[in-house]
Amino acid sequence: MMQILLRAYASHRYAILFYTLLATLAAVPLLVAMGYDAELLEIFLALSLLAGALGFESGLRKRMFLVLTVTVLAAHFVLPQRYLGGMPAMPALWTVIALLSAASALRFAMRSTRIDAEHIYAALSAYLLAGVFFGVLYHGVEQVWPGSFNVAGAKGEFPLFDAIYFSFVTLATLGYGDLLPVSEVARGLAIVEAVSGQLFLAVMIARLVGSYAQMPRK
């Protein structure tokens, strides 16, 4: 029974990752509106990060990557807050793990000559992973360098939800203007995310369309 479940998960791991990320994005504004603190939001993000690690390429690399992910998450939730205050690199570690998971999903989507639903889910998951965890990185930048972001109507405040919102606005190059990066580090990261988002859409669409066009017709 367990083997059947594992095989079923392996064949649908990117679909599960995509809907986990989608549920996280749907839950974030609801949690904020209901007044829940950032810790519950971090739990949702941790589940998304764990789902991304489970979708990593198989073999020894997957086991090592999964151990690293669990270790980082355990350190974040188990260690007392006074120790975490001295670990400004924690958001960066979350982001690196997420981007490695996104790279693995992209590799899965790009290397196949036959496109199916799982490859589409892998490409979409990579895009959502980048958006969510760039937001975590922005939040960490504001903690390390206060004043890196200018939030309209809220002086000195840049909660995690605002950081994720800013990340997706930047990734999609919407540019609403209600949140502004003002420090060099914040602006540099925003440039990297915006350019990466546009390159992703251009390259990925061309790749998927090209692969679909080459598929044999019945």
Side-chain angles (χ1 to χ4, degrees):
M1 183 64 180
M2 181 60 66
Q3 292 181 350
I4 296 176
L5 292 175
L6 290 175
R7 284 198 298 267
Y9 171 79
S11 60
H12 298 89
R13 63 187 188 276
Y14 287 113
I16 294 172
L17 174 59
F18 172 74
Y19 287 113
T20 300
L21 290 167
L22 209 60
T24 298
L25 292 176
V28 165
L30 293 176
L31 292 174
V32 173
M34 295 171 64
Y36 286 98
D37 56 14
E39 184 175 353
L40 186 57
L41 175 56
E42 290 175 355
I43 292 175
F44 273 88
L45 294 177
L47 291 175
S48 298
L49 198 63
L50 187 59
L54 288 172
F56 202 73
E57 58 187 55
S58 60
L60 179 60
R61 290 183 179 180
K62 178 174 182 176
R63 290 192 291 270
M64 294 176 61
F65 187 66
L66 190 58
V67 169
L68 173 63
T69 302
V70 172
T71 302
V72 171
L73 294 178
H76 179 80
F77 288 105
V78 174
L79 288 179
Q81 190 64 35
R82 62 178 180 273
Y83 295 120
L84 292 178
M87 299 174 63
M90 188 63 71
L93 287 175
W94 282 41
T95 306
V96 169
I97 292 173
L99 293 181
L100 288 175
S101 300
S104 178
L106 276 179
R107 189 181 301 112
F108 173 80
M110 297 280 285
R111 70 187 178 187
S112 177
T113 58
R114 183 178 180 85
I115 301 301
D116 57 16
E118 192 68 4
H119 292 90
I120 303 297
Y121 280 127
L124 294 175
S125 297
Y127 191 80
L128 293 183
L129 273 171
V132 170
F133 287 97
F134 256 101
V136 175
L137 186 58
Y138 290 135
H139 183 65
V141 167
E142 178 64 24
Q143 290 179 328
V144 177
W145 295 286
S148 294
F149 293 87
N150 183 13
V151 183
K155 295 183 179 180
E157 296 181 3
F158 192 57
L160 183 56
F161 171 68
D162 286 356
I164 294 175
Y165 163 76
F166 172 77
S167 175
F168 276 98
V169 168
T170 303
L171 188 64
T173 63
L174 295 175
Y176 288 136
D178 51 346
L179 300 175
L180 299 175
V182 295
S183 71
E184 289 78 6
V185 174
R187 287 176 175 176
L189 288 174
I191 290 173
V192 171
E193 184 179 19
V195 172
S196 301
Q198 294 307 297
L199 289 176
F200 175 88
L201 292 177
V203 174
M204 203 66 213
I205 290 176
R207 176 70 177 86
L208 294 177
V209 170
S211 298
Y212 179 78
Q214 295 175 4
M215 289 175 60
R217 299 291 186 268
K218 291 184 180 181

